[in-house]
Amino acid sequence: MLTRLRTAFAVAMLTVATYALAVESAGSHPDTYVVQKGDTLWDIAGRFLKKPWLWPEIWQANPQVANPHLIYPGDVLSLAYLDRVVAVEPGPREEAPIGAVPLSEIEPFLKNLRVTDAFEHLPYVVAFEDNRLRGSAGQAAYVKNLAGAAVGQRYAVVRPTVRYAMPRNTRDLLPSGRPTPGDGALWKEYVPPTDRNEFLGYELTQVNVGTITRVPAGSVEVATLTLEDSNGKEVRAGDRLIPVEPQPYDLQFFPHPPRELPTDVRVLAVADAIASGGPRDVIALSAGARDGFDNGTVVSLWRTSTKVNDRVTGGQTSRMDDRFSGAGVALPEEYAAHAMVFRTFDKVSYALVMDGVKPVRVGYSARHPDTE
């Protein structure tokens, strides 16, 4: 399955354009480059261009290549003139083609995370066979409020994990969906004030999948779901169910700048982390389809301007500079990384950090990728 997805991912359609004349080289470079195993199109372009996210424009400007969507280890890329037609010498075609980003690193997030406006109406797990406290592959979970279910139907078991809101109201959730007591929201206080003050949605994490093996009948009020995913997490009482989507995400990505960029787009969270992440980490952004974001949108991420206490002329304080709100010395904004959106919802998007010079933190702002 993963091999098939990788191949499909690499076959990324590119629109016909004549952008190559505007591409800037990153400085001196060899006349040719042989594609190596482990390279990605983003990485290769990053070595020779100032804007690595423009790699599609270089490959698409090559009319000599019968299929410019597939680049293989062993291909020889002509780099003599980055502002002219690029010639490619085919390699041996003995290995899988190379895509823009390593699919294996984002596939779990493509499948396992989604954002919804509400989850309380979803059917939920109430118990497990033999009075177990948790459920795993091969075991039965009993589900309440699964009206109209039929034997053989497959469902994904999901868990509400985060309530996203701007600017300071993001909360960690228990499996029941209630806020985690005493979570403190310490790292979320790092998000600076913003004009976009609203609820953005609930994150649901897929923990397992299962098949309905028995439906409610007589005095029995629950449906029986046999869990299947041996690589999934243990299922808990309170976890919710949604129908399995046959293809929940795109297999093709077209790196491009945002069609429009609303103000105050922030990093809401870093997947599987508390406050910061680096290349190949997945982040949540506070903009989605309604804001013009779609799969392939590339942004640059910046640490916003903050104030620090002047310890020479200012007052004495023990407050951390990052949360210093009094009169102080304003610092410049700092570039951190580029990120590419790979899954979009109405108000929230997930993006993969592609490259950077420093860690990306919760609260950093998203800018046009050309911002310097």
Side-chain angles (χ1 to χ4, degrees):
M1 178 66 175
L2 182 55
T3 300
R4 179 171 63 82
L5 290 177
R6 280 177 173 161
T7 302
F9 185 84
V11 186
M13 294 174 57
L14 306 177
T15 57
V16 176
T18 56
Y19 198 93
L21 290 176
V23 174
E24 299 177 78
S25 72
S28 60
H29 53 80
D31 289 340
T32 61
Y33 176 76
V34 179
V35 178
Q36 304 296 314
K37 184 176 181 179
D39 282 337
T40 67
L41 298 179
W42 185 290
D43 295 336
I44 294 171
R47 300 180 194 182
F48 309 116
L49 299 180
K50 290 184 178 179
K51 303 172 183 177
W53 55 273
L54 288 178
W55 63 262
E57 306 293 353
I58 298 179
W59 268 268
Q60 107 89 36
N62 186 346
Q64 294 100 329
V65 181
N67 187 349
H69 312 311
L70 299 178
I71 306 298
Y72 291 79
D75 283 346
V76 180
L77 311 184
S78 174
L79 303 173
Y81 299 97
L82 285 178
D83 59 346
R84 299 182 186 178
V85 171
V86 180
V88 177
E89 178 182 323
R93 300 297 189 267
E94 295 176 351
E95 300 186 58
I98 298 172
V101 296
L103 180 63
S104 60
E105 298 190 19
I106 65 174
E107 188 187 8
F109 299 98
L110 287 169
K111 293 191 300 184
N112 294 347
L113 298 178
R114 69 202 72 207
V115 177
T116 183
D117 289 335
F119 64 87
E120 294 84 357
H121 63 289
L122 296 174
Y124 57 92
V125 175
V126 293
F128 303 94
E129 63 174 289
D130 299 326
N131 290 326
R132 297 174 185 269
L133 297 179
R134 301 284 189 269
S136 57
Q139 298 173 353
Y142 303 121
V143 182
K144 189 177 180 181
N145 296 338
L146 196 58
V151 173
Q153 285 184 320
R154 299 183 72 240
Y155 285 86
V157 182
V158 298
R159 181 176 300 157
T161 53
V162 180
R163 178 188 185 274
Y164 287 130
M166 291 288 285
R168 296 175 183 268
N169 297 318
T170 294
R171 297 294 305 273
D172 293 323
L173 302 179
L174 296 170
S176 63
R178 299 187 183 93
T180 301
D183 67 351
L186 179 62
W187 59 269
K188 302 174 187 66
E189 292 182 9
Y190 195 84
V191 180
T194 172
D195 294 333
R196 293 164 61 90
N197 187 7
E198 60 179 325
F199 166 71
L200 299 178
Y202 295 101
E203 178 181 272
L204 301 179
T205 300
Q206 181 173 312
V207 295
N208 214 303
V209 294
T211 300
I212 298 297
T213 54
R214 186 178 299 170
V215 296
S219 61
V220 177
E221 302 178 22
V222 297
T224 300
L225 180 80
T226 299
L227 301 172
E228 302 174 5
D229 190 355
S230 59
N231 295 320
K233 301 177 182 178
E234 288 187 324
V235 177
R236 305 177 184 178
D239 286 344
R240 308 283 168 154
L241 267 66
I242 59 174
V244 169
E245 300 177 64
Q247 183 53 62
Y249 53 84
D250 291 337
L251 295 177
Q252 300 176 347
F253 295 84
F254 315 85
H256 59 270
R259 296 178 176 84
E260 56 181 303
L261 188 62
T263 59
D264 290 321
V265 177
R266 306 284 181 172
V267 176
L268 292 172
V270 179
D272 297 325
I274 296 180
S276 64
R280 304 299 186 259
D281 280 333
V282 172
I283 58 174
L285 297 173
S286 64
R290 66 165 187 175
D291 305 298
F293 276 35
D294 59 357
N295 292 345
T297 296
V298 178
V299 296
S300 58
L301 304 173
W302 292 70
R303 175 186 173 129
T304 55
S305 177
T306 58
K307 287 185 177 182
V308 298
N309 179 43
D310 187 336
R311 300 186 184 279
V312 174
T313 62
Q316 298 299 312
T317 177
S318 61
R319 296 194 66 183
M320 295 171 55
D321 284 338
D322 281 338
R323 287 186 277 165
F324 184 74
S325 58
V329 180
L331 303 182
E333 297 180 337
E334 300 173 353
Y335 165 75
H338 281 105
M340 185 186 75
V341 172
F342 65 82
R343 193 167 190 193
T344 311
F345 299 89
D346 187 37
K347 303 175 185 177
V348 176
S349 297
Y350 291 108
L352 188 71
V353 179
M354 300 300 300
D355 59 58
V357 297
K358 59 183 64 181
V360 173
R361 295 185 62 87
V362 170
Y364 279 19
S365 61
R367 308 286 175 81
H368 191 282
D370 284 347
T371 303
E372 298 180 353

